[in-house]
Structure formats: structure tokens, C-alpha cells
Amino acid sequence: MNHKVIIVDDDPAALFLYAEIIKEFNFTKDLTTFKNAQKALDFLQHIQDKEKRIILLDLNMPMMSGWDFLDHIKDYPSKNFLSIFILTSSVNSADKDRSKTYTYVADFFEKPLTEDHIKIIKEKINKS
């Protein structure tokens, strides 16, 4: 199955690396990346279709953090078609606990993106 995947991370090297990993494991051919969380929100606000999308979201970004993104997305009609997976360098257990308060966050992973993460994402998406 080909999933629509969006990666939101301010680090260009991470975006490149994650895109390569996603291609290597044949996870999607429909990949969109954003270095800025606000631009990702703007994109999502204009989605008209009801296709499921997977978002890999970094938490620690300038201007708008991943937490700000999550707080804003709750008002978007498209949130019902999103599965958000936090992918962060944070090892703080409070961040993991906080992520569980957002019903549309499917899981919390520590960077970097790995084959195991992709397997977990696939399993969770196939269950939904």
C-alpha cells in the first residue's frame, strides 16, 4: 500500500535522510517535506480530499514547535485523516507522556528514523 507521507523537520539533513530511508523500504512514493511547521499547517488546511496521511513530526523547531503544530491541528477538519508520529531527538519522558494527550498522535519515536519505526507505523496504519 502506498501511503501519503509528510515529514515536518527543520533539519535539511534529516529530511534528506528520512526521505532516503522511506524510499529504501518502499514505504511511499507520495512524500512531502516541510522545514517549517507553519507551512505544513497551511498545506493541511487546504486539503480537500479525505485520503489518509501519515505525518512524521519533529518537536524541537524554531518559530513553531511540534507542540504548537499539534495545538493548531486540533481545529483542522483534516485531522481525522491524519496519523501523526512524533520523531524527535527528545529523550524526555515528559514529552512522551505529553504526546499521549493528543488523540491524533499515533506514536512517539526517538530519532533517527529506522526500519523498525517504519514497521511499527505500517502495523498501526493497517489496524486503523
Side-chain angles (χ1 to χ4, degrees):
M1 181 185 300
N2 190 36
H3 305 285
K4 292 185 177 226
V5 177
I6 298 169
I7 305 173
V8 184
D9 195 311
D10 64 308
D11 181 355
L15 289 174
F16 176 79
L17 176 65
Y18 300 158
E20 291 300 310
I21 291 168
I22 285 169
K23 285 179 203 169
E24 180 180 336
F25 295 109
N26 201 28
F27 187 52
T28 188
K29 291 180 178 141
D30 192 338
L31 177 65
T32 307
T33 61
F34 294 96
K35 292 188 283 186
N36 175 298
Q38 182 60 56
K39 289 187 181 196
L41 283 173
D42 294 344
F43 172 81
L44 291 168
Q45 187 172 20
H46 293 97
I47 289 176
Q48 298 296 318
D49 64 53
K50 294 185 177 179
E51 291 186 58
K52 293 249 181 205
R53 285 177 171 77
I54 298 164
I55 298 178
L56 302 178
L57 177 67
D58 186 21
L59 292 178
N60 301 313
M61 295 181 283
M63 295 186 287
M64 177 182 275
S65 72
W67 298 121
D68 295 332
F69 176 94
L70 292 170
D71 290 338
H72 282 83
I73 200 76
K74 72 177 186 233
D75 298 325
Y76 283 45
S78 63
K79 81 172 180 302
N80 298 324
F81 304 102
L82 303 176
S83 293
I84 300 174
F85 293 84
I86 293 175
L87 184 61
T88 182
S89 57
S90 173
V91 294
N92 187 338
S93 62
D95 285 342
K96 189 169 190 172
D97 292 341
R98 182 177 175 189
S99 75
K100 292 175 184 175
T101 66
Y102 296 90
T103 57
Y104 37 89
V105 171
D107 213 331
F108 184 101
F109 302 124
E110 291 176 21
K111 287 182 177 183
L113 181 65
T114 66
E115 181 180 9
D116 288 339
H117 294 148
I118 292 174
K119 287 178 183 176
I120 292 168
I121 293 168
K122 285 180 179 180
E123 287 172 11
K124 289 192 177 220
I125 295 306
N126 291 334
K127 287 181 185 176
S128 62

